[in-house]
Amino acid sequence: MKKPCFRLELFLALFLTTAVFAGCSPLPKTNNMSGGKPETGGKPKEVFKKSVFIPDGYYEPIPDLGAKGYLLQALAPDVYFFTTGAYNTMFITTPKGVVVIDPIHGKGPLLKKAIREVTEKSPKYMIYSHAHLDHIGDAHLFAKDVQIIAHIETRERLERYKDPHRPIPQISFGKNYSLNLGGIQIDLIYPGEGHGKGNIMIHLPEKKVLMVVDVATPRSVPFLNFVTTDIYSQIKGIEQALNLDFDVYVAGHLHRPGLKKEMLEVLKYYLASKRANKAALKKISFQDVQARSRTQDPERLFGEYYQAVAKECHRLLRKEWKPRLMGFEAFTSGHCDVWTGFHRTEVAP
Ligand SMILES: [Zn+2]
C-alpha cells in the first residue's frame, strides 16, 4: 500500500513554502505561489523527517494525482470540479461556451487540459472569486478570449496591483450579479467583507452547487489567524452560504469538494473558538500570570498573559476539535488570538 502523504504537505503548500518530503505520494509540482521562493537548484531541503509524521488528530491524505497531475470530477451535469491536491476550483460547460472560475496560479495549463477532456467549446467568461494571486494567478492564460467578471472591490484591487497575471475584469458588480450562459444560471453573491474585500459566492441553484473560497475548507480549521479582515462578517457570510440551496461546495482548497454538513461543521468551529476564547479570558487572570512570571519587562508580561489566554483557549478546544478538523495544532492558537483581539475591541454579538 502506498504511504499516504501527511496532510501537513497541504498546509505547507498553504504556508507558501517549498518544503518537499521524500517518499510521499506524488503531489502537484511545487507551486511558486505568492511570496513562495523557488528552489534555486540542488536537492530541496528536507525540513522534517518522514518518521515524525504521526498525526494524532484528523487528517486526510492527498490522493495520487496520477501522471495528469490533476483530478477532475463532475459535481452535476455540466459542472466540473478540478483539483491539483491542495487547491481546487470548478468550471461549467454550456452549449455556448465554458465558464472558467479561478485559474489557480501555476495550474492554468492543467486546467486547460481538463476543460479539453470534457468539451470542445472555448471559454467565454472567467469569474474571479476574489483577487488573491494564489487562486487567480493564471488568469492571463485565459484572458484573451473571455469576459472577466468579479466584484467591484476585486476590480479596484487589481487596478491598483497592475499585475499582468491577473487582468482587470471587464464586468464588475456591487451586491449580486447573475450570468446565464447556454441555459445555465450562475448567481454571484457578495456576502460582505470577511476574507478580504470582494470575496464572492458562486451559486448554481439548479445544479445545487456552491463555490465559496478560503473561508470553510471541509474538515479543516481555517488558515492562519482566520485569514480574515472581518471575522464577524466572515461568520455571517458562512451563515448566508448555508442558507443557499446546495448539496456540494468548492472551497478553493482540499483535494475534494465538501458537503453542506462539512461547511456547517467549520462554522461550528468558528463559534466554538469564539466561546473558548471568552471562557479563557474569564479564567486567566493577569495577576496570576504576573505572580508566576519571572520577567521584569511589562511588555513581555503582556505577551505572557495573552499566550496564557491562547493556551487555555487551545486546551478547551483540543479534545473535541483536534479529532474532527485538520490543522488544529498549526492554527488554533492563532484563532484564539484573533478572538482575544475581537473581544477586547467589540461588544461581541
Ligand atoms: Zn484568498
Side-chain angles (χ1 to χ4, degrees), residues 18 29-39 105 133:
T18 54
K29 281 207 181 86
T30 306
N31 24 33
N32 292 338
M33 291 175 289
S34 51
K37 288 199 179 96
E39 292 288 340
H105 188 53
L133 176 68

Side-chain angles (χ1 to χ4, degrees), residues 130 132 134-135 195 214:
H130 64 311
H132 286 170
D134 55 336
H135 289 276
H195 177 67
D214 281 348

Side-chain angles (χ1 to χ4, degrees), residues 2-171:
K2 200 163 221 175
K3 278 208 168 155
C5 222
F6 180 48
R7 157 84 181 181
L8 192 55
E9 292 218 34
L10 194 156
F11 291 118
L12 288 174
L14 300 178
F15 284 138
L16 314 178
T17 74
T18 54
V20 170
F21 309 105
C24 287
S25 306
L27 265 185
K29 281 207 181 86
T30 306
N31 24 33
N32 292 338
M33 291 175 289
S34 51
K37 288 199 179 96
E39 292 288 340
T40 49
K43 205 173 170 225
K45 198 175 160 200
E46 193 175 329
V47 179
F48 298 104
K49 292 252 180 286
K50 196 172 52 163
S51 59
V52 176
F53 292 152
I54 305 168
D56 59 349
Y58 182 77
Y59 85 102
E60 285 181 35
I62 296 172
D64 189 342
L65 301 173
K68 285 197 297 188
Y70 63 85
L71 301 174
L72 191 60
Q73 176 189 344
L75 298 176
D78 313 311
V79 184
Y80 294 91
F81 174 84
F82 168 89
T83 181
T84 51
Y87 278 80
N88 64 48
T89 186
M90 68 175 182
F91 61 88
I92 300 136
T93 60
T94 86
K96 294 206 167 158
V98 178
V99 180
V100 178
I101 305 170
D102 283 7
I104 303 162
H105 188 53
K107 307 299 175 189
L110 293 183
L111 182 57
K112 282 189 172 185
K113 274 190 192 168
I115 293 169
R116 274 287 157 265
E117 259 192 58
V118 294
T119 181
E120 298 273 285
K121 301 279 178 191
S122 302
K124 271 267 180 312
Y125 289 94
M126 178 158 59
I127 298 167
Y128 295 159
S129 66
H130 64 311
H132 286 170
L133 176 68
D134 55 336
H135 289 276
I136 64 165
D138 269 12
H140 62 109
L141 299 177
F142 294 83
K144 198 162 69 75
D145 305 312
V146 298
Q147 290 275 297
I148 305 173
I149 310 173
H151 189 265
I152 196 162
E153 293 278 3
T154 298
R155 194 196 72 204
E156 285 175 4
R157 276 170 184 236
L158 296 176
E159 282 171 348
R160 286 202 305 275
Y161 298 162
K162 295 183 175 53
D163 176 3
H165 295 103
R166 290 175 285 174
I168 293 162
Q170 291 89 0
I171 302 167

Side-chain angles (χ1 to χ4, degrees), residues 141-335:
L141 299 177
F142 294 83
K144 198 162 69 75
D145 305 312
V146 298
Q147 290 275 297
I148 305 173
I149 310 173
H151 189 265
I152 196 162
E153 293 278 3
T154 298
R155 194 196 72 204
E156 285 175 4
R157 276 170 184 236
L158 296 176
E159 282 171 348
R160 286 202 305 275
Y161 298 162
K162 295 183 175 53
D163 176 3
H165 295 103
R166 290 175 285 174
I168 293 162
Q170 291 89 0
I171 302 167
S172 58
F173 62 95
K175 189 68 192 160
N176 299 329
Y177 185 87
S178 278
L179 172 70
N180 195 306
L181 186 69
I184 297 180
Q185 191 188 332
I186 303 167
D187 293 334
L188 310 182
I189 303 156
Y190 185 49
E193 183 173 347
H195 177 67
K197 289 181 177 176
N199 193 22
I200 58 168
M201 305 191 284
I202 299 153
H203 185 219
L204 282 71
E206 289 135 11
K207 308 288 187 183
K208 295 192 177 228
V209 171
L210 178 68
M211 180 162 174
V212 50
V213 173
D214 281 348
V215 301
T217 302
R219 300 301 304 265
S220 307
V221 302
F223 188 45
L224 197 65
N225 297 338
F226 290 115
V227 270
T228 179
T229 54
D230 185 337
I231 182 64
Y232 185 64
S233 175
Q234 178 125 319
I235 286 174
K236 289 286 146 202
I238 299 170
E239 287 171 352
Q240 195 180 330
L242 284 164
N243 281 329
L244 295 171
D245 188 15
F246 69 94
D247 294 329
V248 290
Y249 75 104
V250 178
H253 294 283
L254 200 61
H255 57 269
R256 62 171 179 85
L259 301 170
K260 195 168 200 173
K261 67 179 182 185
E262 291 178 317
M263 184 185 285
L264 179 62
E265 184 178 40
V266 179
L267 174 65
K268 283 181 178 169
Y269 170 83
Y270 275 84
L271 299 172
S273 62
K274 183 171 182 283
R275 282 194 304 273
N277 177 263
K278 215 170 187 181
L281 282 168
K282 220 170 171 181
K283 186 173 170 191
I284 303 297
S285 105
F286 186 81
Q287 285 72 24
D288 288 349
V289 173
Q290 189 174 20
R292 285 198 307 270
S293 177
R294 291 180 183 172
T295 187
Q296 301 291 313
D297 178 351
E299 289 182 7
R300 280 183 196 276
L301 184 59
F302 269 102
E304 286 176 11
Y305 167 67
Y306 286 119
Q307 276 170 17
V309 170
K311 197 173 168 195
E312 172 63 8
C313 168
H314 175 278
R315 189 190 68 79
L316 291 170
L317 291 164
R318 193 172 191 272
K319 192 168 173 225
E320 180 177 356
W321 290 99
K322 186 166 170 161
R324 286 175 74 173
L325 301 182
M326 291 182 272
F328 183 89
E329 295 299 354
F331 301 123
T332 292
S333 288
H335 299 153

